[in-house]
Amino acid sequence: MFFSRIALFCFLIPIFFVSCTKDNRQESDTSNAVVNLESENLDQALFACKTVKDVQNFLDKHPYLAKEYFAGSQLDPAQLAAHLFNILQNPDFLAFRDQLNRLIGDRKTNILDPLAEAFKQIKYHYPAFNAPKVQFMITGFTGTDLYISDSLIIIGLDYFGGPEAMYRPDVFDYQLRRFRKEYIVPSIVFFESNRFNKMDPTDKTLLADMVGYGKGFAFVKQVMPTTPDSLITGYSAENLRRTYASQHDIWAYFIAGKLLYESVDLKKKKFIEERPFTTEIGQKVPGAIARWVGWRIVNRFRAENPQVTLPELMEMGNAAQILQDSGYNGDPDEEE
């Protein structure tokens, strides 16, 4: 897979949403698509535990939790049940749980229904696609925000309470604004693109990373066409406008610095990984700028090659060929 299957991957929340990227492809008719989205409020079963032994029984019943969902907690597995039980007994945590339920709202309406619609779109393009089971958890940040595999999605709701929540995840300040419920479904769909996003594993260039991300973003936009770009890219409304207007200068920096074919990880990280801003280009250029430029390349490729279907695009692993066929040179699209 091009991206990690378990990762802290949500996006920045703007005050209001804008969409700079137009895609004339229509939403596919999914009236005949059947997706059975199974879900489980696993947090309710956890909160029903009255003793440490009950929690251990809960963990024994769901052994993948300790192995996968809590893998990053660095807790001794033998102490996990006691740790979780102590959290369950904390009055402040119980108040936090109640607040989360109010902030998240109805899980079916706000998460499951839009996710099912997105899965129907995926099913349309990939008939063999089977929707993973969805489970909800609240563990006081003991687990991760999202665990995603081909068969299971675990959503750690404690991460998505937003700015009004009593407690927020322990991340950098510039990351905090991205942890709210609007980002749950687009983030999941982006990860689902991993199944289909084929890239040349021998190509270690920054361009390959850029196009890989760009294809993933294009996948989300095709599957969820009404989703604002800010929920897909992770850029605020202001950053989207400013970056779009400055893309010629940004592209010129990449070309002048011969960055497209850079293969040294430490150098690539400066442009592909999340940061408050990209200091090498300017403090008004947001971090992970190479991801956004990658999406511009892919969007231009799609505009120049409208006959290429989504599955065909996802099968294309030659980043250099996509760039060449796109004709992208840092200019905005004429119609935008």
Side-chain angles (χ1 to χ4, degrees):
M1 297 299 179
F2 185 71
F3 303 105
S4 171
R5 299 302 293 175
I6 307 172
L8 205 64
F9 192 86
C10 312
F11 293 126
L12 306 178
I13 180 71
I15 296 175
F16 55 95
F17 302 136
V18 299
S19 178
C20 294
T21 302
K22 295 181 180 179
D23 192 334
N24 294 325
R25 293 172 175 81
Q26 299 297 314
E27 189 171 10
S28 304
D29 180 6
T30 60
S31 56
N32 294 324
V34 177
V35 170
N36 297 315
L37 185 58
E38 183 181 357
S39 65
E40 183 178 8
N41 293 318
L42 210 57
D43 56 308
Q44 294 181 1
L46 177 61
F47 281 108
C49 296
K50 303 300 183 183
T51 65
V52 175
K53 184 177 180 180
D54 288 344
V55 177
Q56 187 60 59
N57 290 338
F58 168 81
L59 293 173
D60 292 341
K61 184 179 179 180
H62 307 282
Y64 55 89
L65 291 175
K67 183 179 179 181
E68 304 290 352
Y69 183 68
F70 295 115
S73 68
Q74 298 182 343
L75 286 170
D76 183 341
Q79 301 300 318
L80 181 58
H83 173 81
L84 291 173
F85 183 72
N86 287 336
I87 292 176
L88 297 177
Q89 302 307 301
N90 189 315
D92 289 338
F93 175 69
L94 296 178
F96 175 49
R97 175 202 61 180
D98 293 340
Q99 184 195 39
L100 276 175
N101 287 330
R102 294 192 299 270
L103 292 172
I104 298 295
D106 184 76
R107 298 176 185 184
K108 181 178 185 301
T109 300
N110 295 329
I111 300 173
L112 294 174
D113 286 350
L115 187 58
E117 286 302 312
F119 284 170
K120 284 183 180 180
Q121 290 287 321
I122 297 177
K123 185 79 170 179
Y124 175 88
H125 294 286
Y126 297 93
F129 172 78
N130 291 315
K133 181 178 181 178
V134 177
Q135 294 179 332
F136 296 100
M137 283 289 281
I138 300 175
T139 62
F141 309 106
T142 304
T144 189
D145 57 343
L146 292 174
Y147 167 79
I148 302 175
S149 73
D150 288 348
S151 60
L152 179 64
I153 296 169
I154 305 177
I155 303 172
L157 291 176
D158 28 5
Y159 286 87
F160 299 102
E164 298 178 16
M166 295 169 57
Y167 302 105
R168 305 296 305 278
D170 185 18
V171 296
F172 293 110
D173 289 345
Y174 69 88
Q175 297 173 312
L176 280 174
R177 53 186 171 173
R178 64 187 186 168
F179 286 94
R180 61 189 299 171
K181 65 184 179 183
E182 288 84 358
Y183 290 92
I184 294 175
V185 177
S187 297
I188 290 172
V189 172
F190 180 85
F191 275 107
E192 289 299 329
S193 73
N194 289 346
R195 303 193 191 193
F196 317 108
N197 196 350
K198 310 300 182 185
M199 296 299 298
D200 181 357
T202 66
D203 188 348
K204 305 300 183 181
T205 63
L206 178 61
L207 177 61
D209 292 344
M210 294 165 65
V211 171
Y213 273 101
K215 288 168 62 184
F217 291 154
F219 184 94
V220 180
K221 194 66 174 181
Q222 178 83 41
V223 169
M224 303 178 65
T226 62
T227 302
D229 289 3
S230 49
L231 293 182
I232 298 174
T233 63
Y235 285 174
S236 68
E238 180 183 357
N239 275 341
L240 273 174
R241 293 193 186 100
R242 186 170 57 232
T243 303
Y244 186 80
S246 304
Q247 65 183 295
H248 192 276
D249 293 336
I250 294 170
W251 181 249
Y253 181 90
F254 275 80
I255 297 302
K258 300 180 180 179
L259 295 174
L260 297 182
Y261 297 99
E262 178 61 64
S263 60
V264 177
D265 285 340
L266 287 178
K267 293 182 179 179
K268 292 194 299 179
K269 286 180 179 180
K270 295 178 181 179
F271 304 97
I272 205 71
E273 289 193 348
E274 185 184 16
R275 302 162 69 189
F277 42 80
T278 306
T279 55
E280 291 76 12
I281 304 178
Q283 292 197 0
K284 291 186 177 181
V285 177
I289 189 62
R291 302 183 190 182
W292 183 84
V293 175
W295 196 19
R296 295 295 302 128
I297 293 170
V298 172
N299 281 342
R300 181 59 63 86
F301 172 85
R302 301 197 84 191
E304 294 295 325
N305 300 274
Q307 77 285 358
V308 175
T309 66
L310 179 64
E312 289 171 343
L313 172 69
M314 300 306 285
E315 285 290 328
M316 294 180 175
N318 189 327
Q321 189 66 51
I322 290 175
L323 173 60
Q324 178 178 322
D325 292 348
S326 74
Y328 180 72
N329 62 0
D331 292 333
D333 293 336
E334 293 181 359
E335 71 272 15
E336 296 182 309

